[in-house]
Amino acid sequence: MVTKQQAAEAVRHAKAVTGVTWEQLAEAIGRPLVWTTAALLGQHPMSKDEAATAAALLELGDDVALAFQLQPTRGGLESAVPVDPTIYRLYEIVQVYGPAIKELIHEQCGDGIMSAINFRLDVKRVPDPAGDRVVITLDGKYLPYQW
Amino acid sequence: MVTKQQAAEAVRHAKAVTGVTWEQLAEAIGRPLVWTTAALLGQHPMSKDEAATAAALLELGDDVALAFQLQPTRGGLESAVPVDPTIYRLYEIVQVYGPAIKELIHEQCGDGIMSAINFRLDVKRVPDPAGDRVVITLDGKYLPYQW
Amino acid sequence: MVTKQQAAEAVRHAKAVTGVTWEQLAEAIGRPLVWTTAALLGQHPMSKDEAATAAALLELGDDVALAFQLQPTRGGLESAVPVDPTIYRLYEIVQVYGPAIKELIHEQCGDGIMSAINFRLDVKRVPDPAGDRVVITLDGKYLPYQW
Amino acid sequence: MVTKQQAAEAVRHAKAVTGVTWEQLAEAIGRPLVWTTAALLGQHPMSKDEAATAAALLELGDDVALAFQLQPTRGGLESAVPVDPTIYRLYEIVQVYGPAIKELIHEQCGDGIMSAINFRLDVKRVPDPAGDRVVITLDGKYLPYQW
Amino acid sequence: MVTKQQAAEAVRHAKAVTGVTWEQLAEAIGRPLVWTTAALLGQHPMSKDEAATAAALLELGDDVALAFQLQPTRGGLESAVPVDPTIYRLYEIVQVYGPAIKELIHEQCGDGIMSAINFRLDVKRVPDPAGDRVVITLDGKYLPYQW
Amino acid sequence: MVTKQQAAEAVRHAKAVTGVTWEQLAEAIGRPLVWTTAALLGQHPMSKDEAATAAALLELGDDVALAFQLQPTRGGLESAVPVDPTIYRLYEIVQVYGPAIKELIHEQCGDGIMSAINFRLDVKRVPDPAGDRVVITLDGKYLPYQW
Amino acid sequence: MVTKQQAAEAVRHAKAVTGVTWEQLAEAIGRPLVWTTAALLGQHPMSKDEAATAAALLELGDDVALAFQLQPTRGGLESAVPVDPTIYRLYEIVQVYGPAIKELIHEQCGDGIMSAINFRLDVKRVPDPAGDRVVITLDGKYLPYQW
Amino acid sequence: MVTKQQAAEAVRHAKAVTGVTWEQLAEAIGRPLVWTTAALLGQHPMSKDEAATAAALLELGDDVALAFQLQPTRGGLESAVPVDPTIYRLYEIVQVYGPAIKELIHEQCGDGIMSAINFRLDVKRVPDPAGDRVVITLDGKYLPYQW
Amino acid sequence: MVTKQQAAEAVRHAKAVTGVTWEQLAEAIGRPLVWTTAALLGQHPMSKDEAATAAALLELGDDVALAFQLQPTRGGLESAVPVDPTIYRLYEIVQVYGPAIKELIHEQCGDGIMSAINFRLDVKRVPDPAGDRVVITLDGKYLPYQW
Amino acid sequence: MVTKQQAAEAVRHAKAVTGVTWEQLAEAIGRPLVWTTAALLGQHPMSKDEAATAAALLELGDDVALAFQLQPTRGGLESAVPVDPTIYRLYEIVQVYGPAIKELIHEQCGDGIMSAINFRLDVKRVPDPAGDRVVITLDGKYLPYQW
């Protein structure tokens, strides 16, 4: 009986041992890169086939493959405010720009939100002579408050 | 003596009264839309000219214009975990996708972060037949851990 | 310059003085009961007409009516866990039944959520010989996780 | 010696392995759907028969069946504010509509609460051409403050 | 416009100035001692007559009397864990004896709670040669979990 | 090496298996009911004889009996604000009535506290035609602030 | 209407203006030094005479003198963990030595506590060739757990 | 591999089994009583000889003796605000008297602190006809703020 | 009656209006740069002369100058974990390097601390062809644990 | 499968057993002292060679060496505010001097931060006749806010 969290740790370890990349895992199962990474870290349920393919590539067992298919209880941070610097910068952006983003969603679309469910996300390294950049695109359906 | 926070509230009120938009404010001072919005909400310092232009457009006084120029103590959320649904979705994305983004930054770039200082942000409404979308682009310089 | 929170306090006070009910307010502006109550407590923006009608009925001024129209920063609890017993029982229901509701949404609909944005809510007193009951109906669109 | 929490994890795992549904479990023990789900997640004590029936269907042992019968220490969230999006929406509803619900209970019934003890709850998928809906009904006895 | 909290502070101050006791206030309005004290501290709504009588005795104005009648948002502690030693001891009793009380309610009554709504409370000084005692009686209706 | 907390869990389990009641345990060791319950849940140290008697009745081993005798580090709640509804109602009473109790202790006795150390507690089911009641009596020595 | 907290701030300010010391205040009212300091900071109620004497020496008005006499809601820290370094060291001592002190109270006295109510405290500067020392004596009645 | 925390638990258990006292342990290793107790609870590192002597007296193994010698990460409370009543009283003293102690350190010594590093502590039972007392002496070097 | 916190805000405002720098303020009063800045932000008490000089330079009144001389209750962050990015980086350094610094202090000096009281701090911009650097030097007396 | 945290504990234990110093470890792998210490405590990833060298010197196995190479999730404190006195002093410095450091970075460099990523840190014992000092140098690249 392997939990999704134990499975996520097993994935991280197996990647270090086998050298398999997230890129390769995403290609193998035929899903977008961020979706695959999040799923293997326990944030999305996989189909039976996807789970089997990923487990095989990572040389992990059937119990881990079963865990990949379980419905997750989502939420991947160890504390309400993340401590790891790479993740913290995302939180800092919410702190510094959150209210501005809210104002602009309301100005451009009206009273509503950007969905985090009907949502896709991309992470890319973009070459730049002044130093390469990380570009993260959040792309969610606009949902108006609707009674 | 007007604080940046009081100035931000004055801006919100003045927008409701005058009908001036963030778009118009950004154009008037010649700065990107999100930067301008964040600045007027107290998250960036403005130059004297920018402050004067914005205050004039919003029909606000010199004391508010002075507040626009002060160096901010940044951080715009009222609690560690934001409560407003439009802002909360951003936090939820950090919860659900934060660890995956971290993995991919490390896989694509190495051991480092996406800067939130050498950083720009865009918010756009994108038409879509299945329902328009909000697309937010986070674009920060990659900073490797470097001793 | 009246904030939405000050407006909400003014509403509560004016109701005590004038004896106007939430029911009457909802009828006057032609909106559902819970929507109207939430809006006057600062959780939804009103149209100019709705705001004027409600303010007039409550004998409140133009500055309060303007506050009714402002875009809210939502969230009406004074602490993360509500302390007032009438509201706490709702939180207790999330504590005791939240995980069960989650399981059933997933079993009946798949991997997704009940929207709290495309959402309506009703509160009714239902006569019952064993003691009248309060029946609260939460009715939100099902949103599947969709990349 | 199996705790109710370990039993709940065993149930989730056994459901994935056996494919038994909450619906089938509720029918087998002859109890309402939400009650059964909550009980098997550790929030209600079961009778000896109910526990035996459920354990048998899930192919779980006597020690788990014993755990089903223990008096629970209720509370199913891992942190005060739930992080999983499906559950968080329920919390968000308390944040946004909690004070309005309180006002309406008081207007319709007087100074009191909706009981969360003498209480039943239903979760249903309701077909809708604009997208199916999840309808959750909270139905609790009105309890007046009574000295 | 006086809030219930401001009214409670006014009561404390007026008692110090006028020397009126909680006992006298309870007698004047014809209500139990603890109920009256809690009500004047903002935890229960008073009838118009009760409010007028109490305000008159304390030499407080009509705005305070109106506040006495408002529906309270209950909760009288300034932090989740009370700091004042006299109140803290009550919290300590919940910490040390709470689980034992829970076990005994379940053993004596079944799966349910002592209501804090259909509830009365008494505080008495009881003479004792080994040092007088404070006896606090919590008396609430037993409410069984009942679907 | 069994901790007091592990011993408490063993007691709960053994009660379920053997059917022994708190009442029987209290009688067997000749101590008040609440004291015995609290002690076996790890909140009071037992004498060697009391521990042996209780362990024998519950069919538990010597290592558990030793744990019963250890000096406790008291405090039986899993979080600062209890989540279980039966225990939460006690916390709610402190929230709603704590300041009133404080006022009355000061009015009746002076500046001091009700001791939670020189203290006894009783829990009783009291028959009542309108529904039986749970009556909890807190009885502590009055301790005046004394320099 | 002056609160005890406002009175405490007034005392600090008046000491700076008048140059009166805590020592002089304690002598004037005939009470121990720490008691007097704590009382004027809002942690103990003063008699009418003591309040009048202290207020006169500090050149403060009758409203402040009245505040000195009010029953305090005790607790003088601005956050659960104190931030000021002089006060923090006391907290650090509880962190580092608290469990050891507990063990020794139990070894020397049995199962009980050092009272913080029947309690006195002294602060003294003690000359020492290796650098003067601050000696703080906590002296409280031993209270055994006693049912 | 035994951690200092595991070693502390082993000490508490061994004391119960062997009946060895803190007093005896302190004498055996030739160190002050409170120092020895704190050290064996994991708050100070011991020399190799001290560790061996203590371990022998408590009939504990070499791995525990090694743990006694490790440099501690200090801090012995399980939560920021201690819950155990014997330890809580120390915290309560900081809450009620902390600001007064700060004022007196500043009045007697100037702007600085009582060191918690160059520091000793004593706990004594002092006979008293009105009930024995616990006297705790905190004795730390005065450290002036010094640039 | 001006508090140290109000004085600090007045300083920030006066600097913006007058254009006086921290450098000029430090030179005028003849104190190190960081000390002066911290003092004017309310973290150190100033002498009467220093306060008068600083107030004059900033064109602030006598009440502010008096506030500069008051003994501070130190602690300049608005929440336990700072939110402003410039300050947060310091906190991040404690998170990432704190345990390593601890290990090295113990290896180089023994069991003790770097004093934050007998302590000085410097902030300097250091030109660097790869981008200028900020160099912050923490320089505190080593204090060994000493009984 | 060894986590970085388990590896860090293994390092601490191995150092105690083998007597190897951080200094020796840093020399052996040819990296700065603080970097090496932080890396072995789990805050930086090591190269395969560095990991092998360190593991060999500490007589630790291949699984620990593998853990040294894993990408860390950084953050080494057990609670948001550190409790260990040696580490707490660093936090105290942020509390007392954080806002002053922020002001001076802005005055000397403009609106930006000291990077904690492009960053090096040194810890040194500096002999001083008045008592040796610990000097910690934080040296990070200045990063201006740059859109």
Side-chain angles (χ1 to χ4, degrees):
Chain A
M1 199 168 120
V2 171
T3 67
K4 285 189 96 69
Q5 203 154 13
Q6 289 165 337
E9 282 180 42
V11 168
R12 281 195 174 102
H13 195 259
K15 283 186 71 244
V17 171
T18 63
V20 171
T21 63
W22 298 112
E23 194 79 37
Q24 292 167 333
L25 286 159
E27 268 171 47
I29 68 165
R31 284 278 213 164
L33 181 58
V34 182
W35 187 93
T36 306
T37 309
L40 289 169
L41 294 177
Q43 301 295 316
H44 291 305
M46 284 184 147
S47 72
K48 202 170 173 178
D49 276 7
E50 292 164 350
T53 305
L57 203 57
L58 290 163
E59 298 169 19
L60 293 166
D62 283 358
D63 47 353
V64 175
L66 179 60
F68 290 162
Q69 304 169 55
L70 294 177
Q71 168 65 36
T73 293
R74 288 173 169 97
L77 305 182
E78 290 187 6
S79 54
V81 177
V83 167
D84 177 78
T86 310
I87 303 180
Y88 181 82
R89 294 308 178 272
L90 301 171
Y91 178 79
E92 185 172 301
I93 290 164
V94 180
Q95 270 281 168
V96 174
Y97 296 103
I101 293 171
K102 174 182 166 67
E103 290 286 338
L104 293 171
I105 289 177
H106 295 325
E107 181 161 308
Q108 295 174 8
C109 308
D111 183 24
I113 66 163
M114 174 185 71
S115 179
I117 305 296
N118 188 319
F119 175 77
R120 55 185 172 250
L121 175 63
D122 200 27
V123 180
K124 248 187 269 180
R125 176 177 194 155
V126 175
D128 187 309
D132 287 5
R133 301 184 73 82
V134 177
V135 177
I136 301 174
T137 314
L138 315 177
D139 175 346
K141 190 176 179 182
Y142 170 67
L143 302 180
Y145 265 92
Q146 200 173 327
W147 195 268
Chain B
M1 198 166 122
V2 171
T3 66
K4 285 188 97 69
Q5 203 156 13
Q6 288 166 336
E9 283 180 41
V11 167
R12 280 194 175 104
H13 196 259
K15 283 188 70 244
V17 171
T18 62
V20 171
T21 63
W22 297 111
E23 193 79 36
Q24 292 168 333
L25 286 159
E27 269 172 45
I29 68 165
R31 284 280 212 163
L33 182 58
V34 182
W35 187 94
T36 306
T37 309
L40 289 169
L41 294 177
Q43 300 295 317
H44 290 305
M46 286 183 146
S47 73
K48 200 169 175 180
D49 276 7
E50 293 164 349
T53 305
L57 202 57
L58 290 162
E59 298 170 17
L60 293 166
D62 284 357
D63 46 355
V64 174
L66 180 59
F68 289 161
Q69 304 170 54
L70 294 177
Q71 168 65 38
T73 294
R74 288 173 169 98
L77 305 182
E78 290 186 7
S79 54
V81 177
V83 167
D84 177 78
T86 310
I87 303 180
Y88 181 82
R89 294 309 179 272
L90 301 171
Y91 177 78
E92 186 171 301
I93 290 164
V94 180
Q95 271 281 168
V96 174
Y97 295 103
I101 294 171
K102 175 182 165 67
E103 289 288 338
L104 293 170
I105 289 177
H106 295 325
E107 180 160 306
Q108 295 175 7
C109 308
D111 183 23
I113 66 164
M114 174 185 70
S115 179
I117 306 295
N118 188 321
F119 176 77
R120 56 185 173 250
L121 174 64
D122 199 27
V123 179
K124 248 187 267 179
R125 176 177 195 156
V126 175
D128 187 308
D132 287 4
R133 299 184 75 82
V134 178
V135 177
I136 300 174
T137 315
L138 315 178
D139 175 346
K141 190 176 177 180
Y142 170 66
L143 301 181
Y145 264 92
Q146 201 174 325
W147 194 270
Chain C
M1 196 167 124
V2 171
T3 66
K4 284 187 98 68
Q5 203 156 12
Q6 289 166 335
E9 282 180 43
V11 168
R12 280 194 175 104
H13 196 259
K15 282 188 70 243
V17 171
T18 62
V20 171
T21 63
W22 297 112
E23 193 80 37
Q24 291 168 335
L25 285 159
E27 269 172 46
I29 67 164
R31 284 280 212 162
L33 182 59
V34 181
W35 187 94
T36 306
T37 308
L40 290 169
L41 294 177
Q43 300 294 316
H44 290 306
M46 284 183 146
S47 72
K48 200 169 176 181
D49 276 8
E50 292 164 350
T53 305
L57 202 57
L58 289 162
E59 299 171 16
L60 292 166
D62 283 358
D63 48 354
V64 175
L66 179 59
F68 290 161
Q69 303 170 54
L70 295 177
Q71 168 65 36
T73 293
R74 288 173 168 97
L77 305 182
E78 290 186 6
S79 53
V81 177
V83 168
D84 177 78
T86 310
I87 303 179
Y88 181 82
R89 293 310 177 273
L90 301 171
Y91 177 78
E92 186 172 301
I93 289 164
V94 180
Q95 271 281 168
V96 174
Y97 296 103
I101 293 171
K102 174 182 165 68
E103 289 287 338
L104 293 170
I105 288 176
H106 296 324
E107 181 160 307
Q108 295 175 5
C109 308
D111 183 23
I113 66 163
M114 174 186 70
S115 179
I117 306 296
N118 188 321
F119 175 78
R120 56 185 172 251
L121 174 64
D122 199 27
V123 179
K124 248 186 268 179
R125 176 177 194 155
V126 175
D128 187 309
D132 287 4
R133 299 185 75 83
V134 177
V135 177
I136 300 174
T137 315
L138 314 177
D139 175 345
K141 190 175 177 181
Y142 170 66
L143 302 180
Y145 263 92
Q146 202 174 324
W147 194 269
Chain D
M1 199 168 118
V2 171
T3 67
K4 283 188 98 68
Q5 203 155 12
Q6 289 165 336
E9 282 181 41
V11 168
R12 281 195 174 103
H13 195 259
K15 282 186 73 243
V17 171
T18 63
V20 172
T21 63
W22 298 113
E23 193 80 36
Q24 291 168 333
L25 286 158
E27 268 171 46
I29 68 165
R31 283 280 212 164
L33 181 58
V34 182
W35 187 92
T36 306
T37 309
L40 289 169
L41 295 177
Q43 301 295 317
H44 290 306
M46 284 185 147
S47 72
K48 201 170 173 177
D49 276 8
E50 293 164 350
T53 306
L57 203 57
L58 290 162
E59 298 169 18
L60 293 166
D62 283 358
D63 47 354
V64 174
L66 180 60
F68 290 161
Q69 304 169 54
L70 294 177
Q71 169 65 36
T73 292
R74 289 174 168 96
L77 305 181
E78 290 188 5
S79 53
V81 176
V83 167
D84 177 78
T86 310
I87 304 180
Y88 181 82
R89 294 310 179 270
L90 301 171
Y91 178 78
E92 185 171 301
I93 290 164
V94 180
Q95 270 282 167
V96 173
Y97 296 103
I101 294 171
K102 174 182 165 68
E103 289 286 337
L104 293 170
I105 289 177
H106 296 324
E107 181 161 309
Q108 295 175 7
C109 308
D111 183 24
I113 65 162
M114 174 185 70
S115 179
I117 306 296
N118 187 320
F119 175 78
R120 55 186 173 249
L121 175 64
D122 200 27
V123 179
K124 249 187 268 180
R125 177 177 193 154
V126 175
D128 187 310
D132 287 4
R133 300 185 74 84
V134 177
V135 177
I136 301 174
T137 315
L138 315 177
D139 175 346
K141 191 177 178 180
Y142 170 66
L143 302 180
Y145 264 92
Q146 202 174 325
W147 195 267
Chain E
M1 198 167 121
V2 171
T3 65
K4 284 188 97 68
Q5 203 155 12
Q6 289 166 335
E9 281 180 42
V11 167
R12 279 195 175 105
H13 195 258
K15 282 187 71 245
V17 171
T18 63
V20 171
T21 63
W22 298 112
E23 193 80 37
Q24 291 168 334
L25 286 158
E27 269 172 46
I29 68 165
R31 282 280 212 165
L33 182 58
V34 182
W35 187 93
T36 305
T37 308
L40 290 169
L41 294 177
Q43 300 294 316
H44 290 307
M46 284 183 147
S47 72
K48 199 169 176 180
D49 276 8
E50 291 164 351
T53 305
L57 202 57
L58 290 163
E59 298 171 16
L60 293 167
D62 283 358
D63 47 354
V64 175
L66 180 60
F68 290 161
Q69 303 169 54
L70 294 177
Q71 168 65 37
T73 293
R74 288 172 168 98
L77 304 182
E78 290 186 4
S79 54
V81 176
V83 167
D84 177 78
T86 310
I87 303 180
Y88 181 81
R89 293 310 178 271
L90 300 171
Y91 177 78
E92 185 172 301
I93 289 164
V94 180
Q95 270 282 168
V96 174
Y97 296 103
I101 293 171
K102 174 182 165 68
E103 290 287 337
L104 293 171
I105 288 176
H106 295 325
E107 179 159 308
Q108 295 175 6
C109 308
D111 183 24
I113 65 163
M114 174 185 71
S115 178
I117 306 296
N118 188 321
F119 176 78
R120 55 185 172 251
L121 175 64
D122 199 27
V123 180
K124 248 186 268 180
R125 177 178 194 155
V126 174
D128 187 309
D132 286 5
R133 299 184 75 84
V134 177
V135 177
I136 300 175
T137 315
L138 315 177
D139 176 345
K141 191 176 177 179
Y142 169 67
L143 302 181
Y145 263 92
Q146 202 174 326
W147 194 268
Chain F
M1 199 168 119
V2 172
T3 66
K4 284 188 98 67
Q5 204 155 11
Q6 289 165 335
E9 282 180 40
V11 168
R12 280 194 175 105
H13 196 258
K15 282 187 72 244
V17 171
T18 62
V20 170
T21 63
W22 298 112
E23 193 79 36
Q24 291 169 336
L25 286 158
E27 268 172 46
I29 68 165
R31 282 281 213 164
L33 181 59
V34 182
W35 187 93
T36 306
T37 309
L40 289 170
L41 294 176
Q43 301 293 317
H44 291 306
M46 284 183 148
S47 73
K48 200 170 176 178
D49 276 8
E50 291 164 350
T53 306
L57 203 57
L58 290 162
E59 298 169 18
L60 293 165
D62 283 358
D63 47 354
V64 174
L66 180 59
F68 290 162
Q69 303 169 54
L70 294 177
Q71 169 65 37
T73 293
R74 289 173 168 98
L77 305 181
E78 289 187 7
S79 54
V81 176
V83 167
D84 177 78
T86 310
I87 303 180
Y88 181 82
R89 293 310 178 271
L90 300 171
Y91 178 77
E92 185 171 302
I93 289 164
V94 179
Q95 269 282 166
V96 174
Y97 296 103
I101 293 171
K102 174 183 164 69
E103 289 286 337
L104 293 170
I105 289 176
H106 295 325
E107 181 160 308
Q108 294 175 8
C109 306
D111 183 24
I113 65 163
M114 174 185 71
S115 179
I117 305 297
N118 187 320
F119 175 78
R120 55 186 172 249
L121 174 64
D122 199 27
V123 179
K124 249 186 268 180
R125 177 178 193 154
V126 175
D128 186 309
D132 286 4
R133 301 184 73 83
V134 177
V135 177
I136 300 174
T137 314
L138 315 177
D139 175 345
K141 191 176 178 179
Y142 170 66
L143 301 181
Y145 264 92
Q146 202 173 324
W147 194 268
Chain G
M1 198 168 120
V2 172
T3 66
K4 284 188 97 69
Q5 203 155 12
Q6 289 166 335
E9 283 180 41
V11 167
R12 280 194 175 105
H13 195 258
K15 281 187 72 245
V17 171
T18 63
V20 171
T21 63
W22 298 112
E23 193 80 36
Q24 291 167 335
L25 286 158
E27 268 171 45
I29 68 164
R31 283 280 213 163
L33 182 59
V34 182
W35 188 93
T36 305
T37 308
L40 290 169
L41 295 177
Q43 300 295 317
H44 289 306
M46 284 184 148
S47 73
K48 201 170 174 178
D49 276 8
E50 292 165 350
T53 305
L57 202 56
L58 289 163
E59 299 170 17
L60 293 166
D62 284 359
D63 47 353
V64 174
L66 179 60
F68 290 161
Q69 303 170 55
L70 295 176
Q71 169 66 36
T73 293
R74 288 173 168 98
L77 304 182
E78 290 186 5
S79 53
V81 176
V83 168
D84 177 78
T86 310
I87 303 180
Y88 182 81
R89 294 308 179 273
L90 301 171
Y91 178 78
E92 185 172 301
I93 289 164
V94 179
Q95 271 281 168
V96 174
Y97 295 103
I101 293 171
K102 174 181 165 68
E103 289 287 337
L104 293 170
I105 289 177
H106 295 325
E107 180 160 308
Q108 295 174 7
C109 308
D111 183 24
I113 66 163
M114 174 185 71
S115 178
I117 306 295
N118 188 320
F119 176 77
R120 55 185 173 251
L121 174 64
D122 199 27
V123 179
K124 248 187 267 179
R125 176 177 195 155
V126 175
D128 187 309
D132 287 5
R133 299 184 75 84
V134 177
V135 177
I136 300 174
T137 315
L138 315 177
D139 174 346
K141 191 176 177 179
Y142 170 67
L143 302 180
Y145 264 92
Q146 201 175 325
W147 195 268
Chain H
M1 198 169 119
V2 172
T3 66
K4 285 189 96 68
Q5 204 156 10
Q6 289 165 334
E9 282 181 41
V11 168
R12 280 195 175 104
H13 195 259
K15 282 187 72 243
V17 171
T18 61
V20 170
T21 63
W22 298 111
E23 193 80 36
Q24 291 167 335
L25 286 158
E27 268 171 48
I29 68 164
R31 283 281 212 162
L33 181 59
V34 182
W35 188 93
T36 305
T37 309
L40 289 169
L41 295 177
Q43 301 294 317
H44 290 306
M46 284 184 147
S47 73
K48 201 169 175 180
D49 277 8
E50 292 164 350
T53 306
L57 201 57
L58 290 162
E59 299 170 18
L60 293 165
D62 283 358
D63 47 354
V64 174
L66 180 59
F68 290 160
Q69 303 169 54
L70 295 177
Q71 169 65 36
T73 293
R74 289 174 168 96
L77 305 181
E78 290 186 6
S79 53
V81 176
V83 168
D84 177 78
T86 310
I87 303 180
Y88 181 82
R89 294 308 178 273
L90 300 172
Y91 177 77
E92 185 172 302
I93 290 164
V94 179
Q95 270 282 167
V96 174
Y97 296 102
I101 293 171
K102 175 182 165 67
E103 289 286 338
L104 293 171
I105 289 177
H106 295 325
E107 181 160 308
Q108 294 174 8
C109 308
D111 183 24
I113 65 162
M114 173 185 71
S115 179
I117 306 298
N118 187 321
F119 175 77
R120 56 186 170 248
L121 174 63
D122 198 27
V123 180
K124 247 186 269 181
R125 177 178 195 155
V126 175
D128 186 309
D132 286 5
R133 301 185 74 83
V134 177
V135 177
I136 300 173
T137 314
L138 316 176
D139 175 347
K141 190 176 178 180
Y142 170 67
L143 301 181
Y145 264 92
Q146 202 173 326
W147 195 268
Chain I
M1 197 168 123
V2 172
T3 66
K4 284 188 97 69
Q5 204 156 11
Q6 290 166 334
E9 283 180 40
V11 168
R12 280 194 175 105
H13 196 259
K15 282 188 71 244
V17 172
T18 62
V20 171
T21 63
W22 298 111
E23 193 81 35
Q24 291 167 334
L25 286 158
E27 268 171 47
I29 68 166
R31 283 279 213 164
L33 182 58
V34 182
W35 188 92
T36 305
T37 308
L40 289 169
L41 294 177
Q43 300 295 317
H44 290 305
M46 285 184 147
S47 73
K48 201 170 173 178
D49 276 8
E50 293 164 350
T53 304
L57 203 57
L58 290 163
E59 299 170 17
L60 293 166
D62 283 359
D63 47 354
V64 174
L66 179 60
F68 290 162
Q69 304 170 54
L70 295 176
Q71 168 66 35
T73 293
R74 288 173 168 98
L77 305 181
E78 290 187 6
S79 52
V81 176
V83 168
D84 177 78
T86 310
I87 303 180
Y88 181 82
R89 295 307 178 273
L90 301 171
Y91 178 77
E92 186 171 301
I93 290 164
V94 180
Q95 271 281 169
V96 174
Y97 295 103
I101 293 171
K102 175 182 166 67
E103 289 287 338
L104 293 171
I105 288 176
H106 295 325
E107 180 160 307
Q108 295 175 6
C109 308
D111 183 24
I113 66 164
M114 174 186 70
S115 179
I117 306 295
N118 188 321
F119 176 78
R120 54 185 172 250
L121 175 64
D122 200 27
V123 179
K124 248 187 268 180
R125 176 177 195 155
V126 175
D128 188 308
D132 286 4
R133 300 184 75 82
V134 177
V135 177
I136 301 174
T137 316
L138 315 177
D139 175 346
K141 191 176 178 180
Y142 170 66
L143 302 181
Y145 265 92
Q146 200 173 328
W147 194 269
Chain J
M1 197 168 122
V2 171
T3 65
K4 285 189 96 69
Q5 203 156 13
Q6 289 165 335
E9 282 181 42
V11 168
R12 281 197 174 102
H13 195 259
K15 282 187 71 244
V17 171
T18 62
V20 171
T21 63
W22 298 111
E23 194 78 36
Q24 292 168 334
L25 286 158
E27 268 171 46
I29 69 165
R31 283 279 211 162
L33 181 59
V34 181
W35 188 93
T36 305
T37 309
L40 290 169
L41 294 176
Q43 300 296 316
H44 291 305
M46 283 183 148
S47 72
K48 200 169 175 182
D49 276 7
E50 292 164 349
T53 306
L57 202 56
L58 290 163
E59 298 171 17
L60 293 166
D62 283 358
D63 48 355
V64 174
L66 180 60
F68 290 161
Q69 303 169 54
L70 294 177
Q71 168 65 36
T73 293
R74 288 172 169 99
L77 304 182
E78 290 186 7
S79 54
V81 176
V83 167
D84 177 78
T86 310
I87 303 180
Y88 182 81
R89 294 309 179 272
L90 301 171
Y91 177 78
E92 186 171 301
I93 290 164
V94 180
Q95 270 281 169
V96 173
Y97 295 103
I101 293 171
K102 174 182 166 67
E103 290 287 337
L104 292 171
I105 288 177
H106 295 325
E107 181 161 308
Q108 294 174 7
C109 308
D111 183 24
I113 66 163
M114 174 185 71
S115 179
I117 305 297
N118 187 320
F119 176 77
R120 56 185 171 248
L121 174 64
D122 199 27
V123 179
K124 248 187 267 179
R125 177 179 194 154
V126 175
D128 187 309
D132 286 4
R133 301 185 74 83
V134 177
V135 177
I136 300 174
T137 314
L138 315 177
D139 174 347
K141 190 176 178 181
Y142 170 67
L143 301 181
Y145 264 93
Q146 202 173 325
W147 195 268

